[in-house]
Amino acid sequence: MLANFVRTHSLVSTTQLTIVLIITAIIFAVFIGIAVIKMYKLKAENKRLMDKSKYKSDVEKEYTDFTDSHLYDTKD
């Protein structure tokens, strides 16, 4: 009796619910795809900027010893 009542008085059919869920899943899949594409573009741009930036030359400089500067008394 309860199953018959639910079938006759339900506001949304199973088919309608399935269609809505499929459409929602497609929309979220599109958003995830757009986010992944943007992530790869940003990663490529970051790599390009790091390759030609001043930061790369600063990191690759050799260490310079500053212990012989005027702050230290090296003359006895």
Side-chain angles (χ1 to χ4, degrees):
M1 175 145 160
L2 180 62
N4 189 23
F5 178 78
V6 170
R7 275 190 220 118
T8 58
H9 291 90
S10 65
L11 297 175
V12 179
S13 71
T14 306
T15 307
Q16 291 172 336
L17 183 62
T18 304
I19 291 171
V20 168
L21 289 175
I22 288 172
I23 291 172
T24 305
I26 290 171
I27 289 172
F28 278 114
V30 168
F31 286 151
I32 289 172
I34 290 171
V36 167
I37 291 169
K38 284 191 175 197
M39 180 190 67
Y40 280 116
K41 285 184 179 180
L42 285 173
K43 189 183 285 187
E45 183 178 359
N46 187 29
K47 185 178 182 218
R48 181 183 58 84
L49 290 173
M50 291 297 285
D51 285 344
K52 75 173 195 176
S53 72
K54 183 182 173 195
Y55 175 77
K56 184 177 179 183
S57 64
D58 288 343
V59 170
E60 293 179 355
K61 281 185 183 177
E62 290 185 23
Y63 175 73
T64 307
D65 188 16
F66 294 105
T67 58
D68 292 331
S69 67
H70 67 281
L71 295 177
Y72 296 97
D73 186 18
T74 57
K75 297 178 185 177
D76 289 333

